Amino acid sequence: MEARRVEILDGRWLHVAGGPSGEAAGPLTLVARRVDTGEERHTYMERAGLEGAEASLPVEELAPQPGPSATWEIHVASEEGRARVSGPVRALSVARVVTDGDRAFRITPRRAATGELSVDVQDVGAHAEVEAVWVRDGAMTVSGRVLGAAPSGAVELVAVRRSDGVRRTGSASVEGDRFEGRLVLSDLAGVARVAEWDLDLLDGERALPLAAHRDGLVGKDAVVVLPVVRGSGPAAGRAMRPGYTAQDALVVREGPLRSMGNGAEEAPDAEDSLGRQSRRRRLLGPAAIAAHRLALALVSAIWHGRRRSTPNPETAELRILLIHAYGLGGTIRTTLNLVDQLRHRHSVEVVSVVRRRRHPRLPFPLGLRVSVLDDQRRGVGRASPVRWLLRRLPSLLVHPEDYAYPMCSLWTDVTLVRWLRAQPPGVLITTRPAFNLLAAQLCPPGVVVIGQEHMHFDAHRPQLDADVRRQYRRLDALTVLTERDREDYQRLLAGARTQLAWIPNAVPPMGGGPSTLEHPVVVAAGRLTGQKGFDLLVRAFAPIAREHPHWRLRIYGAGPLRGPLQRLILEQELYNNVFLMGPTLHLGEALSEASVFALSSRFEGFGMVIVEAMSKGLPVVSFDCPRGPAEIINHGRDGLLVPNGDVAGFTDALRELIEDPERRARLGAGALETAQGYDIGSVGERWERLLSEVRK
């Protein structure tokens, strides 16, 4: 197998992904074999589309027992036999430090000269475990405890410049195994372009590295952001930025102010930067809407396409249209979950309008047919001059107020129209408003179009909402996620032939077991956009962090508001308690390691992540926003609903569950019961009834 990636994910998985050699058919198994003892660890590999496979092995299974170190070779076993995994150096991630009980290990992917890959596991040994860092008044204060050996009692905090060994000394004290140190950051100012200072607790002749390995946050270089300190006097124009390395060691980077940034990455001019609309949309939006409506009317009138004279045996009877099946998101996750259920009775094909990745972020069900209309990967195919030009022009047919619009171009329009107009008889399920509108107007007779709504009735932007109200009557069927949405759309579609069905999303398969509700962690998840209201959640958590400093808030997801949210965390001095974790492929395990789930959305279509959290026994605190939370959460039985936008009320609800473990346990038990009503079996049957009715 040729590996494309060998990395440590979420601090708990050795993840291997790549392409099997030859025509390896049937099941694949990832095998880690320990070199010195011959013992092995095995896990099933999931097929990632048609091009590869991937698997994740729990890293605790690689911890050397006994001894401080071990080396594991990586193999893949198939029906044809077993072979070593090989790959280029670029396939290997950086080393990470993970924990197993009371031990911490450095896991380093390595490549032999022959190209074969292995993993080294090494005990990190004694160190000063960092528990809190404060950057105030130009100085950094660090506290924690010494692990691995008791300190002698006379200690110093020392910064060592990596390039030349120059030292700067701060102050430190110990009491038992506890330590606290202070370092004036301006003492590190120099003349080098950029310098990095390693930090040690000096105990006599023994240097104990400062690192944070045991807080569950692996890869703090991408998660934790600490304030930047500007130099003054002779150090004017310089800046010191504390932070963590990929192996979670605490360091200070020093250099010119402009190269150190402000402690948080800048955000693009995103439309939903904390709810604001971009200047570009304000200026160009009306013209884009007018051009879209004119183009769609012309295409509907003159482009009739061609229907096959005979059915194509390779075409599935049930087709599902996604904007990007290879991405990561709630609609993709729930669609793949539904597809895996419907395949038991139907031939199903998933059609991805665009493709920007070689391998999917979420594994496709084994054997699922996935096709692509506009493959946007760099270097794929030789673009004709016409295609090259059309890809640089904005879409005219995808609605400008649909969030899929930025991913599409005029070339996407061409491929999408050709595909829609050539559809054979069968059922087409479209998964967002822009595609619902296009399919309703462009699909030929004989194609049953079922539109899906993943947002609530009032969530669309104004001009998209206007077109939805005019054109949804053309659909054969429409599915919505909540009972209240069904009532609203029933009034809108009164007298239309469109069949309306209320079908909630089902809980997809998730790793990890039920939470013990003993972890001092509140978890949230979703795309970092204004809709999700994470700015409100950070503000709501600020009093909790001051009252209960051992509690943490972890927010999983990526998006355009990462920069503004990081700056908010710094402004509120929450950098020891609130963390933007980035996206995860193992949300189930992340939920299992929390005790409360928080949903702070300004609006929702359904709130599938609420049900996912409940399936792990987590009580939920949520704003009573339009529209899904109140239909899922039974206030006082499986969670707490807070008036929409009431930040102080959200704080009170979090405090109630944090300070009352018994109430937390009762609501968690109720959450498990509620989640059982969203299993894929019952949701699949509702879809089967709808499919049977629309085909009559």
Side-chain angles (χ1 to χ4, degrees):
M1 176 177 177
E2 180 76 9
R4 61 179 173 83
R5 195 66 178 157
V6 177
E7 58 188 329
I8 310 303
L9 289 180
D10 300 334
R12 58 173 69 88
W13 304 98
L14 170 64
H15 186 75
V16 179
S21 303
E23 299 294 328
L28 299 175
T29 302
L30 179 69
V31 181
R33 180 182 180 277
R34 183 166 168 171
V35 173
D36 56 349
T37 65
E39 61 184 297
E40 295 183 346
R41 305 288 184 265
H42 304 79
T43 188
Y44 168 73
M45 299 196 77
E46 293 182 315
R47 295 282 182 171
L50 304 177
E51 304 172 315
E54 59 187 3
S56 296
L57 188 69
V59 294
E60 62 263 22
E61 295 187 8
L62 305 180
Q65 299 288 350
S69 64
T71 298
W72 299 81
E73 298 174 343
I74 305 175
H75 301 251
V76 168
S78 67
E79 295 175 350
E80 286 76 28
R82 178 185 294 193
R84 285 288 299 273
V85 174
S86 60
V89 173
R90 66 176 180 273
L92 305 182
S93 72
V94 297
R96 296 290 192 189
V97 175
V98 301
T99 58
D100 175 40
D102 293 331
R103 304 172 72 189
F105 298 93
R106 181 175 292 103
I107 300 184
T108 309
R110 298 199 183 279
R111 179 183 183 273
T114 57
E116 296 174 330
L117 304 183
S118 60
V119 175
D120 287 347
V121 185
Q122 178 74 43
D123 195 319
V124 300
H127 66 281
E129 177 71 18
V130 175
E131 295 178 349
V133 179
W134 296 103
V135 181
R136 293 167 175 164
D137 301 324
M140 179 177 67
T141 301
V142 186
S143 61
R145 57 196 180 101
V146 176
L147 299 180
S152 63
V155 297
E156 293 179 312
L157 180 59
V158 177
V160 181
R161 191 159 60 195
R162 191 172 296 175
S163 60
D164 55 12
V166 170
R167 291 191 172 198
R168 296 288 185 268
T169 303
S171 60
S173 61
V174 295
E175 184 175 343
D177 64 348
R178 306 288 307 176
F179 77 90
E180 183 173 303
R182 186 176 186 274
L183 182 68
V184 177
L185 293 174
S186 60
D187 290 347
L188 307 185
V191 296
R193 168 68 182 168
V194 176
E196 189 162 292
W197 297 77
D198 295 316
L199 302 177
D200 297 319
L201 192 67
L202 194 62
D203 181 22
E205 297 297 320
R206 183 181 61 166
L208 299 170
L210 267 66
H213 298 315
R214 300 184 179 278
D215 58 3
L217 301 178
V218 175
K220 291 182 188 60
D221 54 328
V223 173
V224 178
V225 177
L226 297 173
V228 168
V229 173
R230 300 188 180 196
S232 59
R238 308 289 289 182
M240 284 60 65
R241 183 176 183 176
Y244 289 93
T245 68
Q247 298 177 43
D248 303 326
L250 184 63
V251 298
V252 178
R253 297 177 178 89
E254 184 272 336
L257 180 61
R258 62 181 179 276
S259 68
M260 290 294 105
N262 63 355
E265 64 183 61
E266 295 294 332
D269 182 21
E271 172 176 347
D272 41 18
S273 289
L274 301 181
R276 293 187 293 271
Q277 189 182 56
S278 70
R279 180 181 303 173
R280 179 179 179 182
R281 179 167 293 280
R282 290 196 303 270
L283 295 176
L284 302 180
I289 294 294
H292 160 74
R293 289 173 177 168
L294 177 60
L296 184 55
L298 290 174
V299 169
S300 300
I302 65 176
W303 195 345
H304 298 290
R306 293 183 179 180
R307 171 75 65 77
R308 285 179 173 269
S309 57
T310 58
N312 182 356
E314 296 182 358
T315 300
E317 59 169 301
L318 178 60
R319 284 94 66 189
I320 302 181
L321 193 67
L322 284 168
I323 178 60
H324 188 214
Y326 291 77
L328 184 65
T331 299
I332 302 168
R333 188 168 67 250
T334 56
T335 297
L336 294 178
N337 188 33
L338 175 63
V339 164
D340 201 29
Q341 178 71 15
L342 295 179
R343 289 192 311 151
H344 297 305
R345 301 184 187 178
H346 310 272
S347 67
V348 183
E349 176 185 7
V350 169
V351 180
S352 185
V353 174
V354 302
R355 181 178 182 181
R356 294 182 169 183
R357 298 176 52 84
R358 181 181 179 190
H359 295 275
R361 293 295 303 275
L362 297 170
F364 295 154
L366 185 62
L368 174 66
R369 181 183 176 186
V370 180
S371 56
V372 178
L373 302 183
D374 181 10
D375 195 332
Q376 299 178 359
R377 291 176 293 166
R378 182 176 299 177
V380 174
R382 179 173 294 179
S384 67
V386 173
R387 183 185 302 181
W388 182 90
L389 175 62
L390 295 183
R391 276 187 170 164
R392 280 150 183 80
L393 297 174
S395 169
L396 289 175
L397 296 182
V398 175
H399 202 290
E401 291 196 340
D402 189 290
Y403 289 100
Y405 177 74
M407 301 182 70
C408 301
S409 67
L410 205 53
W411 178 251
T412 311
D413 292 350
V414 172
T415 60
L416 185 55
V417 169
R418 285 175 175 171
W419 184 81
L420 288 172
R421 294 303 249 176
Q423 285 300 287
V427 176
L428 173 64
I429 299 176
T430 48
T431 56
R432 58 185 317 109
F435 299 160
N436 298 343
L437 296 170
L438 284 173
Q441 296 182 67
L442 298 181
C443 279
V447 178
V448 176
V449 179
I450 302 177
Q452 282 186 311
E453 268 295 348
H454 288 272
M455 295 306 297
H456 75 84
F457 183 76
D458 296 316
H460 301 312
R461 294 162 172 164
Q463 297 304 317
L464 178 58
D465 179 68
D467 288 341
V468 162
R469 292 173 181 272
R470 282 195 298 268
Q471 302 296 339
Y472 266 20
R473 305 173 72 86
R474 295 171 176 258
L475 292 167
D476 296 290
L478 176 68
T479 68
V480 296
L481 297 175
T482 69
E483 172 62 18
R484 290 175 61 191
D485 276 322
R486 188 193 66 78
E487 294 171 356
D488 285 336
Y489 277 105
Q490 191 171 44
R491 288 189 291 269
L492 174 66
L493 300 173
R497 64 182 179 86
T498 307
Q499 186 165 339
L500 188 60
W502 165 38
I503 307 179
N505 287 328
V507 180
M510 304 184 76
S515 170
T516 63
L517 302 184
E518 296 176 353
H519 309 282
V521 175
V522 176
V523 69
R527 186 160 165 76
L528 305 185
T529 63
Q531 175 211 335
K532 297 299 182 181
F534 292 129
D535 56 312
L536 306 179
L537 177 57
V538 170
R539 291 185 173 94
F541 194 78
I544 301 297
R546 291 189 287 271
E547 298 165 12
H548 302 278
H550 62 294
W551 275 77
R552 305 288 186 261
L553 169 61
R554 299 178 184 174
I555 301 173
Y556 289 88
L561 294 196
R562 183 177 180 86
L565 287 171
Q566 285 177 328
R567 288 193 289 276
L568 179 61
I569 291 168
L570 291 174
E571 291 167 5
Q572 298 284 329
E573 288 196 326
L574 295 172
Y575 44 81
N576 284 304
N577 298 86
V578 180
F579 307 102
L580 304 180
M581 304 295 292
T584 178
L585 296 177
H586 301 283
L587 181 59
E589 288 82 358
L591 294 170
S592 296
E593 294 180 357
S595 293
V596 178
F597 181 81
L599 187 123
S600 54
S601 298
R602 290 178 165 91
F603 61 90
E604 277 289 345
F606 176 65
M608 188 64 224
V609 71
I610 296 175
V611 183
E612 292 173 330
M614 286 181 168
S615 73
K616 300 301 175 185
L618 291 184
V620 178
V621 175
S622 173
F623 283 132
D624 188 8
C625 66
R627 164 145 301 170
E631 296 208 14
I632 303 171
I633 299 170
N634 301 282
H635 181 76
R637 187 168 73 84
D638 48 30
L640 300 176
L641 287 169
V642 178
N644 198 21
D646 183 357
V647 173
F650 208 98
T651 300
D652 291 340
L654 289 174
R655 183 185 294 113
E656 180 178 341
L657 295 185
I658 286 171
E659 295 180 351
D660 190 344
E662 292 184 0
R663 180 162 172 76
R664 192 163 73 229
R666 288 196 302 271
L667 295 185
L672 280 172
E673 294 180 9
T674 299
Q676 293 174 3
Y678 295 88
D679 67 278
I680 186 59
S682 60
V683 172
E685 285 302 319
R686 297 173 79 160
W687 269 101
E688 291 294 349
R689 286 196 296 271
L690 175 62
L691 292 172
S692 176
E693 291 169 359
V694 297
R695 284 171 168 153
K696 292 179 180 177

